[in-house]
Amino acid sequence: MMIERRTQGIIATAAALVVSMLLALVLVCIVSEEPLDSVAVFLTEPFADFYTICRIFTESIPLMFTGAAVCLMTASGQFNMFVEGGFFLGAFVAAVLAPELSGDSSGIIVPVVCILLGAVASGVVGYAPAKLKSSLGVDEFVCSLMLNYIVLWVVLFLVNNVLGDPDMTNVTKYLEDNAKLPFLSPDNELSVGFLIALVVSALAAVFLYRTKWGFSIRLCGSNSQFARYCGVETCRVVVYSQVIGAVLAGLGGGVYILGNYYRFAWRSLPNYGFDGFVIAIIAHNNPWYVPFASLFLAYIRVGAQQMALYTDVQNEMVYIIQGLMIIVFGAKILVDRIGQRSIGSVASKGGSK
């Protein structure tokens, strides 16, 4: 029965992806003067050469981290938005520490330490909305959303006035190769961060589905009142699930900045945390499916970029496609919940007879 449900879920997800892609292709045909060429570029150009394929893998790295973080946070029934701020903060901390700690050293130890310190910083800051929710009942959505912008403006102040490169404006110091993660591809497009992202997604799935802490998170998310009756400390579960999610987001920011950039020069939130919610929706809040969802969305993004480069369709089309995905998957989730309520209603009526 469990295998049948899982198979049905995979089929339904694939169907939703196909529907959203068909809607996107119809939209491309409407806005383009050469629709067939635009569609062909959108679907095939991401696989045109090795460099473009590596771009797909690179684009998927932050999506895997933030998608896994959102899965852990929402599994406890919380809608925490600090994944965005956590990713931004982790990237900043890693980019600031790496040039200071690297010196003349070589190897992977320094970047790994800087990435871990960035993750810890994100977890410490992410503790605030989690604790406010568990202790005072403060709405975690509003609190974490505002915290994102507090982190943004504090980081920008530090970059501009305290921790920036003295020889340049609005950026941190240059990251030498010994302060960065090694590359997997000869063209320096794909870093080892892709492998780290895969491992983190797998560990998040094992934690959520193979440990007692993960079971407590899922139990609180499905029915917090029943979890309390079972002796689960729901307030504690809320806190550590949100903190772990913030740590994963910060880890992703550090991995991405030290794997793909030579300076921290972000002037606004990069939106990867918000994209994590799209990934979680596609993956059904299951970290096992996060890599596939991330690669799929990365493929769409690279295809849209190539389409904007070679055709008359603008790159903003990718955001329209993401919106269509959210609408289609939202409709699917709504239908599933209506079906579950109908089954529960029938069962309750049958039990009362």
Side-chain angles (χ1 to χ4, degrees), residues 9-56:
I10 294 174
I11 294 174
T13 301
L17 288 175
V18 170
V19 170
S20 60
M21 283 295 292
L22 289 176
L23 292 174
L25 295 179
V26 169
L27 189 58
V28 169
C29 292
I30 293 174
V31 301
S32 176
E33 295 182 358
E34 298 179 346
L36 294 181
D37 291 340
S38 298
V39 170
V41 169
F42 176 63
L43 295 178
T44 62
E45 276 298 313
F47 305 109
D49 51 48
F50 181 75
Y51 175 79
T52 314
I53 293 174
C54 286
R55 281 175 55 195
I56 296 176

Side-chain angles (χ1 to χ4, degrees), residues 63-237:
L63 302 177
M64 282 192 229
F65 281 104
T66 57
V70 170
C71 286
L72 286 179
M73 286 181 167
T74 55
S76 64
Q78 307 302 307
F79 199 70
N80 193 316
M81 301 296 292
F82 186 66
V83 177
E84 180 68 23
F87 187 90
F88 187 81
L89 180 60
F92 167 72
V93 172
V96 167
L97 293 178
E100 302 296 334
L101 299 180
S102 58
D104 297 327
S105 64
S106 60
I108 199 173
I109 296 178
V110 169
V112 167
V113 170
C114 295
I115 289 168
L116 292 176
L117 291 175
V120 170
S122 297
V124 170
V125 177
Y127 175 78
K131 186 62 176 177
L132 289 173
K133 172 65 176 181
S134 63
S135 298
L136 302 177
V138 177
D139 187 277
E140 77 282 357
F141 173 79
V142 176
C143 182
S144 59
L145 186 61
M146 293 299 100
L147 186 59
N148 286 335
Y149 292 97
I150 293 174
V151 168
L152 168 65
W153 292 111
V154 169
V155 167
L156 292 183
F157 171 80
L158 294 175
V159 171
N160 295 336
N161 300 281
V162 182
L163 300 174
D165 190 333
D167 299 324
M168 298 184 67
T169 58
N170 302 330
V171 295
T172 60
K173 293 181 181 179
Y174 185 79
L175 294 168
E176 301 289 347
D177 288 340
N178 61 343
K180 291 170 56 65
L181 292 173
F183 291 100
L184 294 175
S185 60
D187 54 8
N188 292 349
E189 171 61 25
L190 180 63
S191 75
V192 74
F194 178 73
L195 300 180
I196 298 175
L198 289 176
V199 172
V200 167
S201 296
L203 291 177
V206 170
F207 174 79
L208 193 59
Y209 292 103
R210 293 292 185 269
T211 67
K212 64 178 182 180
W213 302 285
F215 176 76
S216 298
I217 291 174
R218 290 185 288 117
L219 185 60
C220 288
S222 60
N223 193 325
S224 59
Q225 186 175 7
F226 178 73
R228 283 193 294 271
Y229 288 152
C230 292
V232 176
E233 298 181 25
T234 55
C235 292
R236 182 181 178 186
V237 170

Side-chain angles (χ1 to χ4, degrees), residues 13 45 69 101 142 162 211 253 260 269 272 277 296 310 337 343 346:
T13 301
E45 276 298 313
L101 299 180
V142 176
V162 182
T211 67
N260 299 90
L269 296 173
Y272 288 119
F277 285 89
F296 177 76
Y310 295 114
R337 289 184 177 178
I343 294 173
V346 171

Side-chain angles (χ1 to χ4, degrees), residues 287-301:
W288 285 120
Y289 303 146
V290 162
F292 304 102
S294 301
L295 287 169
F296 177 76
L297 185 57
Y299 160 72
I300 289 176
R301 289 188 166 181

